[in-house]
Amino acid sequence: MYKFHCLNPIAEVGLNQFTGEYEAEGKLEGVDAVLVRSAAMHELEFDKELKVIARAGAGVNNIPLDRCAEEGIVVFNTPGANANGVKELVIAGMLLASRDIIGGINWVQEHEEDGDVAKHAEKQKKAFAGCELEGKKLGVIGLGAIGVLVANAAAHLGMDVYGYDPYISVDAAWKLSRNIYHAKTVDELYKECDYITIHVPALEDTKGMINKDAMGLMKDGVVILNFARDVLVDQKDIVEALESGKVHRYVTDFATQEIKGADGAIVIPHLGASTEASEDNCAKMAVAEIRDFLENGNITHSVNYPDCNVGVRGDAERITILHKNIPNMIGQFTTLLAQEDLNIALMTNKSRKEYAYTVIDVDGTVSDEVAAKIEGVSGVLGVRVIR
């Protein structure tokens, strides 16, 4: 029996995918798995029993990834599950920035007592006139699950789309429309595009990537959209760029103290994935990841350990080992198994920077003593035997 705990409300359509082998717990202590959305976990203490954390969403800045890795806890996210919801809001953001829809709506509300509002609106509407998206150049930085959808949708709207992603996956490349122009450098994209949208993770080398220097390369009156992470855009620099007119509009899904009242900023309260379909998709993917890991030892969409898929476990007992990526780990594991006269039927090892994951199927029974010996190897962070 596996036990799980939800730190945030998780869509029932996802939780319903747990079988009778899983039991929901009302507290964090003693569980095998945790599902989370936005709850802050940095200050939480984790029991030794905790094996996996699944974030029903993409961002994982609320989870202590390094500490989890050191404690042998695999952390998953659900990339792409909310991609369509975010894509649609990005397109809406471009429309809000190109035409003063918000100003027009506010004008009508302010004149709700006007007895001849239709006549007056015809005279006033030119104050809210804007431009069309067709024929404009859109730069998409990051061609992952969301970026590809945004790029393809914009191309269908008649925009000239420039894409930049030096690490684009083969899967994403197959999904990308052939009409998307591949920018060789991000500077090329900055210089050419009327609209720029960011879809990259918040890493040390991406934080503050849209700053004074980057905006200095852009066209006057550029529109910048940020539905990825607030820290990707330098808040002080974007406010100054809006005040000077260098940036015409900044559309963001993140309300910060610096940007919330700035003229020219369209600030949305983090609604990108706030659709029923997105929440359902994230919940279903998170549960599927937990089940596949606990039942088969497979890792899919981990953010702190390497992905590894060895298929559904058969009749053999399966040993899964989370460990440091250091020399001679495999040799030590195989030596211990040979000493116990356990034949290896299958073995896979994957690494990701300083961490690694080894899966071994054996013919025979793995005793608690054997598991303890493996766990005692220097550099081993967690051992499970799946029977």
Side-chain angles (χ1 to χ4, degrees):
M1 178 70 72
Y2 297 111
K3 297 181 179 181
F4 68 90
H5 175 68
C6 298
L7 282 174
N8 296 107
I10 302 295
E12 285 296 323
V13 68
L15 298 182
N16 288 342
Q17 293 189 352
F18 280 127
T19 66
E21 294 298 309
Y22 291 81
E23 180 181 354
E25 282 287 337
K27 59 184 186 303
L28 186 61
E29 293 76 17
V31 298
D32 301 283
V34 167
L35 292 101
V36 63
R37 292 179 63 193
S38 58
M41 300 187 70
H42 287 276
E43 303 302 320
L44 297 179
E45 299 265 342
F46 303 130
D47 285 355
K48 189 171 179 59
E49 289 84 359
L50 183 60
K51 303 169 183 65
V52 56
I53 296 171
R55 159 76 163 99
V60 290
N61 56 316
N62 57 319
I63 304 171
L65 301 182
D66 292 340
R67 178 159 66 92
C68 286
E70 287 294 323
E71 295 182 22
I73 302 168
V74 180
V75 181
F76 297 103
N77 67 348
T78 56
N82 58 13
N84 187 69
V86 177
K87 174 209 75 176
E88 291 184 358
L89 198 59
V90 172
I91 300 299
M94 284 197 289
L95 292 168
L96 292 173
S98 61
R99 308 177 72 170
D100 191 8
I101 299 168
I102 296 174
I105 292 172
N106 289 341
W107 183 88
V108 173
Q109 291 179 336
E110 290 165 4
H111 293 77
E112 61 181 350
E113 307 260 334
D114 189 339
D116 202 0
V117 68
K119 178 181 178 181
H120 292 154
E122 287 301 314
K123 295 180 179 179
Q124 188 66 28
K125 67 181 182 181
K126 61 178 179 287
F128 311 112
C131 66
E132 298 180 14
L133 296 179
E134 186 177 16
K136 297 297 187 296
K137 293 179 180 179
L138 170 68
V140 182
I141 304 173
L143 295 168
I146 296 171
V148 165
L149 292 182
V150 170
N152 290 346
H156 286 304
L157 290 173
M159 302 184 80
D160 296 326
V161 183
Y162 289 60
Y164 174 75
D165 190 336
Y167 308 109
I168 186 171
S169 69
V170 173
D171 185 54
W174 274 108
K175 295 176 181 177
L176 194 64
S177 167
R178 65 180 180 179
N179 295 321
I180 309 304
Y181 174 78
H182 176 215
K184 304 300 186 297
T185 67
V186 72
D187 288 356
E188 178 187 4
L189 184 148
Y190 289 155
K191 293 173 183 177
E192 292 292 330
C193 294
D194 307 296
Y195 297 75
I196 294 172
T197 181
I198 324 157
H199 301 285
V200 299
L203 306 172
E204 285 307 312
D205 58 346
T206 60
K207 290 178 181 178
M209 64 178 292
I210 303 297
N211 54 24
K212 186 175 182 179
D213 292 338
M215 288 183 279
L217 298 173
M218 299 177 191
K219 294 181 177 180
D220 291 342
V222 67
V223 172
I224 298 173
L225 302 105
N226 179 12
F227 287 78
R229 282 291 173 265
D230 57 342
V231 295
L232 301 175
V233 177
D234 186 289
Q235 299 296 288
K236 177 176 176 291
D237 289 354
I238 190 68
V239 170
E240 291 179 356
L242 287 167
E243 290 174 347
S244 70
K246 176 66 180 182
V247 173
H248 175 61
R249 290 281 186 270
Y250 174 54
V251 189
T252 178
D253 205 19
F254 308 99
T256 65
Q257 288 300 117
E258 298 90 344
I259 202 64
K260 65 178 183 179
D263 289 340
I266 299 174
V267 185
I268 302 168
H270 206 188
L271 300 182
S274 293
T275 70
E276 184 176 343
S278 288
E279 292 178 7
D280 287 354
N281 290 339
C282 286
K284 288 188 286 188
M285 185 182 290
V287 170
E289 291 166 349
I290 289 173
R291 287 195 57 190
D292 199 21
F293 177 67
L294 292 179
E295 297 170 26
N296 299 307
N298 295 323
I299 295 179
T300 307
H301 300 143
S302 175
V303 291
N304 64 344
Y305 275 98
D307 280 6
C308 179
N309 192 317
V310 291
V312 176
R313 184 184 66 84
D315 295 330
E317 295 197 352
R318 179 166 289 175
I319 308 169
T320 68
I321 311 167
L322 300 162
H323 57 91
K324 292 293 186 67
N325 185 23
I326 53 181
N328 198 35
M329 297 299 286
I330 304 302
Q332 294 182 76
F333 302 153
T334 56
T335 297
L336 283 171
L337 294 175
Q339 290 173 352
E340 299 295 329
D341 200 28
L342 288 168
N343 183 55
I344 295 175
L346 174 150
M347 182 170 67
T348 299
N349 172 264
K350 300 288 185 179
S351 63
R352 177 178 181 171
K353 296 182 179 180
E354 65 265 42
Y355 297 104
Y357 185 58
T358 299
V359 179
I360 305 172
D361 283 1
V362 298
D363 297 326
T365 300
V366 181
S367 66
D368 292 342
E369 289 75 18
V370 172
K373 286 180 181 179
I374 296 173
E375 194 161 14
V377 172
S378 178
V380 169
L381 302 168
V383 176
R384 281 196 308 136
V385 179
I386 307 174
R387 297 182 170 91

